[in-house]
Amino acid sequence: MRLAYDPSHFRDNTNLKDTIDAVARLGYEYVELSPRKDFIWFNEYPKVNKQLIKDLKRYCSDAGVKISSVLPVQQWSSPIEEERQAAVRNWKRCIEITSDLGVDLMNTEFAGDKSRPVQSEASFVKSMDELMPLFEKEGINLNLQSHPHDFIELNTEAVKMIRALDKDWIKLVYSVPHAFFYDDGIGDVEQHLEEAGDLLDHVLIADTLNHKAAFGLRYIVNPPDANVTVHQHLNPGEGEVNFDALYRKLREMEFDGIVTNSVFSYPDKPEWSNEITMKSIKEGLNI
C-alpha cells in the first residue's frame, strides 16, 4: 500500500519546490500531483516545459518524495465537440508530461454534463478511443472516479463504465467524500467497495456531510431548483462517513493500492489537518 498526499492545501500560495518539501515534511513518501496553476490546471493546456519537468524531478529526488500519480481534470466528456477536442489535446500533453516524469499512473474524473448523460457518455467514449492508444504506447495506467455533477455520479455506474472499457490498466478511484452521491444519499461505503471489487486501485480519504439529510435541507440553495452540487473534503470524524466500516472493509479486501489524504478544507492549518487525517488512516488500516 502507498500512502500519498494531495497537496491542494498548498496549491495557491506555495511554489512547486516548497510544495514538494511540505509533502516530505508532513511525513509522506508519495505525492499525488493534483491541479495547480503553475503546472496542470483544470481544463487548461498544461503550463509545463522541459525545464520545469527536470526541476520537479530534482525537487522530488532531493526531498525523498515520489509521484504516485498525476491528476489532470479536463472536459473530455463534454457534449460540445469543440470543448471535447480541446480536452483531448490537453490530455495528450498531460500524458507526455507524465511519461517524461517517469510516472506510470494518472487519475481523473469522468467530467461531462450531468444534465446530458447520454451525449456525455458518447463524448467520453470517443475521447477514450482517441487516447487509449497513447496511454498504452507510454505504458501509463489510468484510474477513474465519478464526481458530483459529472455525467456519472453513482459508484455502480462508474464500475460499469470501467468494465465496458475492458482494459486491465483502467481501474477505479473511490473518493470517500463523494459517498453520499455514490448511492443517492445512503453513503454505504461497504457496499460501494464491494461493488468495486478487483477494480479498486485508489482511495481518497476525506469526510463530508450527507447533503440529502434534514429532508434535503442540510444545504439550502436559492433558487431551490438551482443545478448545483455540494460536498466537502473534511478531516475524518468531522462529517458523517462511517470510517469504521470503510477501514474494516478495506482491511477485509486486503487493499494494496494507493490511499491519499484528500482533505482540502484547511489551507490555513495544513499541519493540524494532516495530523488528524494521517492518524485516522494509519490506525484504520494498521499501517
Side-chain angles (χ1 to χ4, degrees), residues 15-231:
N15 64 43
L16 197 52
K17 180 184 185 304
D18 290 345
T19 295
I20 297 301
D21 289 343
V23 172
R25 186 178 68 250
L26 291 173
Y28 292 88
E29 183 181 356
Y30 293 95
V31 60
E32 180 176 304
L33 202 59
S34 54
R36 49 184 299 133
K37 275 284 191 180
D38 60 358
F39 202 77
I40 299 173
W41 190 238
F42 295 95
N43 301 317
E44 294 183 3
Y45 192 78
K47 307 305 189 291
V48 182
N49 61 10
K50 291 184 177 67
Q51 186 60 52
L52 188 54
I53 291 170
K54 185 183 297 185
D55 289 343
L56 177 56
K57 292 169 79 171
R58 186 177 76 254
Y59 301 155
C60 288
S61 177
D62 290 348
V65 170
K66 302 171 186 174
I67 301 172
S68 58
S69 58
V70 175
L71 168 55
V73 178
Q74 299 285 339
Q75 259 296 5
W76 58 347
S77 303
S78 174
I80 301 170
E81 179 62 11
E82 184 178 7
E83 287 185 357
R84 190 202 68 82
Q85 289 179 10
V88 169
R89 182 172 62 249
N90 296 350
W91 256 107
K92 288 178 179 178
R93 179 59 182 142
C94 291
I95 293 169
E96 284 182 353
I97 292 165
T98 302
S99 179
D100 288 345
L101 285 169
V103 178
D104 65 359
L105 177 64
M106 303 179 78
N107 61 299
T108 191
E109 302 165 6
F110 281 101
D113 185 341
K114 179 182 178 180
S115 67
R116 300 176 65 187
V118 174
Q119 298 94 328
S120 294
E121 179 182 289
S123 293
F124 171 73
V125 173
K126 186 175 182 180
S127 295
M128 289 301 295
D129 283 343
E130 294 180 40
L131 291 170
M132 284 192 291
L134 184 56
F135 277 107
E136 291 177 334
K137 176 187 174 187
E138 298 295 344
I140 294 174
N141 300 316
L142 177 67
N143 289 341
L144 294 166
Q145 64 162 302
S146 47
H147 193 282
H149 211 64
D150 282 5
F151 84 91
I152 293 179
E153 287 188 323
L154 299 179
N155 189 65
T156 51
E157 296 305 314
V159 170
K160 287 177 186 176
M161 179 55 71
I162 292 170
R163 293 203 187 281
L165 295 172
D166 202 20
K167 298 289 186 181
D168 59 9
W169 50 269
I170 303 178
K171 295 191 176 181
L172 180 77
V173 178
Y174 181 76
S175 183
V176 177
H178 304 163
F180 297 108
F181 285 92
Y182 283 168
D183 57 14
D184 200 28
I186 300 169
D188 188 343
V189 292
E190 291 182 282
Q191 180 61 35
H192 302 162
L193 297 178
E194 189 73 32
E195 290 167 352
D198 61 351
L199 289 179
L200 182 66
D201 196 52
H202 195 159
V203 179
L204 308 182
I205 299 293
D207 209 343
T208 192
L209 296 168
N210 183 358
H211 64 286
K212 293 282 188 175
F215 314 105
L217 298 175
R218 173 59 63 74
Y219 304 101
I220 299 173
V221 178
N222 291 309
D225 60 349
N227 185 20
V228 299
T229 58
V230 180
H231 72 288

Side-chain angles (χ1 to χ4, degrees), residues 261-278:
N261 176 345
S262 187
V263 177
F264 305 155
S265 300
Y266 304 102
D268 56 329
K269 43 186 177 181
E271 291 81 7
W272 167 83
S273 172
N274 179 64
E275 184 177 350
I276 294 171
T277 303
M278 182 183 277

